[in-house]
Amino acid sequence: MTMKVLGYAAKSAQVPLAPLEFTRRDPRPDDVVIEVLYCGVCHSDLHQARNDWGFSTYPLVPGHEVIGRVTSVGKDVTKFKPGDYAGIGCMMDSCRKCPPCKHGLEQYCEEGNVQTYNGVDRHDHLPTYGGYSQTIVSSQDFVLRVPTGMDLKSAAPLLCAGITTWSPLRHWKIGKGSKVAVVGLGGLGHMALKLANALGAEVTLFTRSPSKEADARRLGAHNIVLSTDDAQMAAVKGQFDLIIDTVPYVHDINPYVPTLNLDGTLVFVGFLGDINPMLNTVTLILGRRSVAGSCIGGIAETQEMLDFCAEHGITSDIEMINMKDINDAYERMLKSDVKYRFVIDMATLQA
């Protein structure tokens, strides 16, 4: 039977999020039903709630960093049982048959993966609603196992911020001896520092603010470079194997490209849109350097990341909030006034 569920939703791009009762789809034989305990707050939530990307459908229930407790499972489910702690990230389904899906890269599904919210279910064509809600339903194949002993609250942001930075680190084979730089110290950036450090890389933070040095070192940075200081930028020319650019807004990447070494790559993980100012290709050509993009990670890769984080004691630095405070949290997020990820205690959700 369908379920009536209470959540928090944007009913249009112009109004604050507010309580909404909506209907979850009928659970299928391979489905897991999860009571949502905690949900991280991502920049994408704000962008989609306010239709910054132009494809939001309302009402929209955000939330794709979901940690909860399994309450029931379908008859064909073998991976979870009631009482298990489980997570759902940015995807709930994909075609499962195209080459990316067959290689465990469901985020690049050629037919388009089904987003956890603001998506359309492949089977019943109903809208998907996210984790700012009491309960969520997903196929077991897109549900993550939370390792035993991991702090549930601070694990929630790993399902977006963690995997978004883990995937490029793994793709570009970062490990002991690698040199990695991170642009931007926010929800994504602080995870990039932690993960790159744990993989054995020498880690540098590019920042415009000298005041961030102490925190950056605490999070795993070995070096701090002020991107507004020409002498400091010149001193790291040709050094980095990989630069992870986490900044979610348009910005000039031309100063960073010369700091890549031969065959080095700058990868966007935070910004969607046109590069402005335009990219000068001289430094690309003269160093066989690349500018690339990376999108979250596949389900197997996300589980690998969770297990790695559990093994190395890595979670997100969080600030807990009540559900009713989400609109204030959005405004604070726009001002970078959070260290480093808001997480909603879903027990505070009330009509």
Side-chain angles (χ1 to χ4, degrees):
M1 296 175 61
T2 57
M3 297 177 287
K4 288 292 186 181
V5 175
L6 180 63
Y8 247 59
K11 297 176 185 177
S12 78
Q14 290 76 39
V15 299
L17 273 67
L20 174 75
E21 187 177 70
F22 63 95
T23 301
R24 288 277 184 208
R25 62 172 172 79
D26 290 325
R28 302 179 188 121
D30 69 333
D31 274 342
V32 176
V33 180
I34 298 172
E35 174 195 2
V36 181
L37 301 177
Y38 304 104
C39 189
V41 180
C42 178
H43 253 286
S44 300
D45 298 346
L46 185 154
H47 288 310
Q48 297 224 48
R50 299 183 177 181
N51 201 25
D52 291 340
W53 296 332
F55 55 81
S56 297
T57 301
Y58 299 95
L60 185 148
V61 179
H64 59 203
E65 297 178 342
V66 182
I67 294 287
R69 183 186 295 108
V70 176
T71 57
S72 64
V73 299
K75 66 179 180 63
D76 295 339
V77 172
T78 59
K79 299 178 182 178
F80 297 91
K81 64 184 185 302
D84 287 347
Y85 291 116
I88 294 177
C90 301
M91 302 178 287
M92 302 189 84
D93 204 353
S94 69
C95 81
R96 313 192 192 197
K97 60 187 180 183
C98 70
C101 286
K102 287 183 176 180
H103 286 89
L105 299 170
E106 299 93 346
Q107 74 273 35
Y108 302 120
C109 175
E110 292 177 357
E111 295 184 14
N113 67 70
V114 177
Q115 296 284 287
T116 300
Y117 67 87
N118 198 38
V120 177
D121 187 87
R122 293 179 56 84
H123 304 281
D124 57 27
H125 309 295
L126 294 175
T128 60
Y129 299 111
Y132 293 13
S133 59
Q134 295 168 316
T135 302
I136 196 164
V137 181
S138 175
S139 165
Q140 65 172 344
D141 293 334
F142 283 77
V143 177
L144 288 308
R145 176 185 49 79
V146 179
T148 302
M150 178 171 273
D151 181 72
L152 300 178
K153 300 183 292 295
S154 52
L158 299 178
L159 299 175
C160 177
I163 186 56
T164 296
T165 49
W166 174 259
S167 188
L169 289 168
R170 297 295 282 165
H171 178 73
W172 276 278
K173 297 179 173 57
I174 296 304
K176 188 174 181 180
S178 300
K179 291 189 175 183
V180 174
V182 177
V183 184
L185 184 55
L188 295 177
H190 94 289
M191 289 308 310
L193 295 180
K194 290 186 178 191
L195 292 170
N197 179 291
L199 284 167
E202 180 181 322
V203 187
T204 296
L205 175 70
F206 283 119
T207 181
R208 300 171 62 89
S209 175
S211 64
K212 293 184 178 179
E213 178 169 356
D215 227 20
R217 292 190 185 280
R218 176 184 66 83
L219 293 164
H222 302 98
N223 310 296
I224 314 298
V225 173
L226 292 179
S227 57
T228 54
D229 186 315
D230 291 342
Q232 290 191 31
M233 293 297 284
V236 292
K237 183 178 180 180
Q239 282 201 11
F240 302 112
D241 303 296
L242 182 69
I243 298 174
I244 299 179
D245 189 317
T246 71
V247 178
Y249 301 109
V250 64
H251 57 288
D252 187 3
I253 65 167
N254 285 291
Y256 302 109
V257 175
T259 69
L260 291 167
N261 61 18
L262 178 66
D263 292 325
T265 300
L266 182 150
V267 57
F268 283 110
V269 297
F271 174 65
L272 297 175
D274 295 330
I275 296 175
N276 185 26
M278 294 180 66
L279 178 61
N280 187 312
T281 64
V282 172
T283 53
L284 294 181
I285 292 170
L286 295 182
R288 201 163 61 189
R289 302 175 175 107
S290 302
V291 174
S294 180
C295 180
I296 51 173
I299 298 301
E301 190 173 45
T302 306
Q303 188 66 61
E304 174 193 61
M305 178 272 306
L306 285 173
D307 294 341
F308 179 90
C309 286
E311 180 183 350
H312 291 82
I314 296 172
T315 51
S316 180
D317 286 25
I318 64 168
E319 178 180 336
M320 294 295 298
I321 62 170
N322 292 343
M323 187 73 258
K324 65 180 178 60
D325 297 323
I326 187 61
N327 294 298
D328 291 337
Y330 278 7
E331 295 305 316
R332 286 182 55 194
M333 194 160 53
L334 287 171
K335 301 172 185 175
S336 299
D337 179 24
V338 56
K339 289 188 176 180
Y340 282 94
R341 203 68 152 187
F342 289 118
V343 173
I344 307 164
D345 180 355
M346 296 309 301
T348 66
L349 174 60
Q350 297 177 349

